[in-house]
Amino acid sequence: MRLDPLLRIAPSLWSDVTTQLHHRTEGRHEAGAFLLGRKDQASRTAVSAVYYDALDPDAYMSGVCILHAEAFGRLWDRCSELGLSVVADVHVHPGRAGQSRSDRENPMIARAGHLALILPRMARPPIRRWSIGLYEYLGDHRWRALGGCGVARFLKIEEH
């Protein structure tokens, strides 16, 4: 039996990430981050974030988030240093939080079970939970949408 994914994130980390992402857009391009934490069979808990432009200074040059190969080496090094793993990625869109064709065809972590969040309106506050796109990668460029009105079932912004 396959368990539904559950991502937990403390309100303080959520606030930091959304504020940083909004700031990093400079009001004109996408921005993103990897959420680092711990996983078990039932859930994942984010405890830290590493921003795409910290891994690759050119990540936002095209206007959308593109990471070059060497950025992933830096990401794995960071995970190793902290004793954490990638539990999800998050990036912003200028409008709604639907997946673009590029998002669907180029998962940041191409492993079944990976979670990708998309924040609408360049993460400009307030971010309503129901407006968040949450997608589970199934492999072979297939995704399952978990966002919208039911997102609170999969995304818990609470102390843990």
Side-chain angles (χ1 to χ4, degrees):
M1 182 172 126
R2 189 169 162 274
L3 296 173
D4 280 335
L6 175 62
L7 175 61
R8 297 178 187 281
I9 185 167
S12 58
L13 179 58
W14 180 253
S15 178
D16 289 347
V17 168
T18 57
T19 299
Q20 277 293 317
L21 288 176
H22 179 65
H23 174 73
R24 288 168 189 259
T25 70
E26 301 175 317
R28 61 180 202 274
H29 56 74
E30 292 184 2
F34 290 103
L35 299 178
L36 308 182
R38 295 175 182 81
K39 297 181 200 179
D40 62 31
Q41 283 191 329
S43 68
R44 345 158 173 230
T45 302
V47 298
S48 182
V50 61
Y51 298 90
Y52 295 169
D53 57 331
L55 299 169
D56 182 345
D58 295 329
Y60 310 141
M61 292 294 289
S62 71
V64 297
C65 298
I66 297 175
L67 291 178
H68 298 93
E70 57 274 3
F72 289 93
R74 291 182 193 110
L75 173 63
W76 307 137
D77 288 347
R78 183 82 173 140
C79 287
S80 180
E81 289 167 15
L82 298 172
L84 301 173
S85 60
V86 174
V87 296
D89 71 77
V90 56
H91 75 278
V92 305
H93 278 184
R96 295 181 11 210
Q99 273 187 316
S100 67
R101 180 178 177 184
S102 179
D103 293 334
R104 286 189 304 276
E105 293 177 356
N106 301 289
M108 282 296 182
I109 305 290
R111 258 191 125 153
H114 178 70
L115 295 178
L117 289 92
I118 302 175
L119 306 180
R121 301 173 32 245
M122 301 295 224
R124 185 174 49 249
I127 300 170
R128 309 268 188 242
R129 184 122 20 135
W130 55 263
S131 71
I132 297 169
L134 177 60
Y135 303 90
E136 179 186 17
Y137 188 64
L138 302 175
D140 198 28
H141 301 288
R142 294 175 302 119
W143 294 86
R144 178 168 71 136
L146 305 171
C149 293
V151 75
R153 183 172 147 211
F154 307 103
L155 175 63
K156 303 291 185 187
I157 302 170
E158 61 191 20
E159 294 301 331
H160 33 268

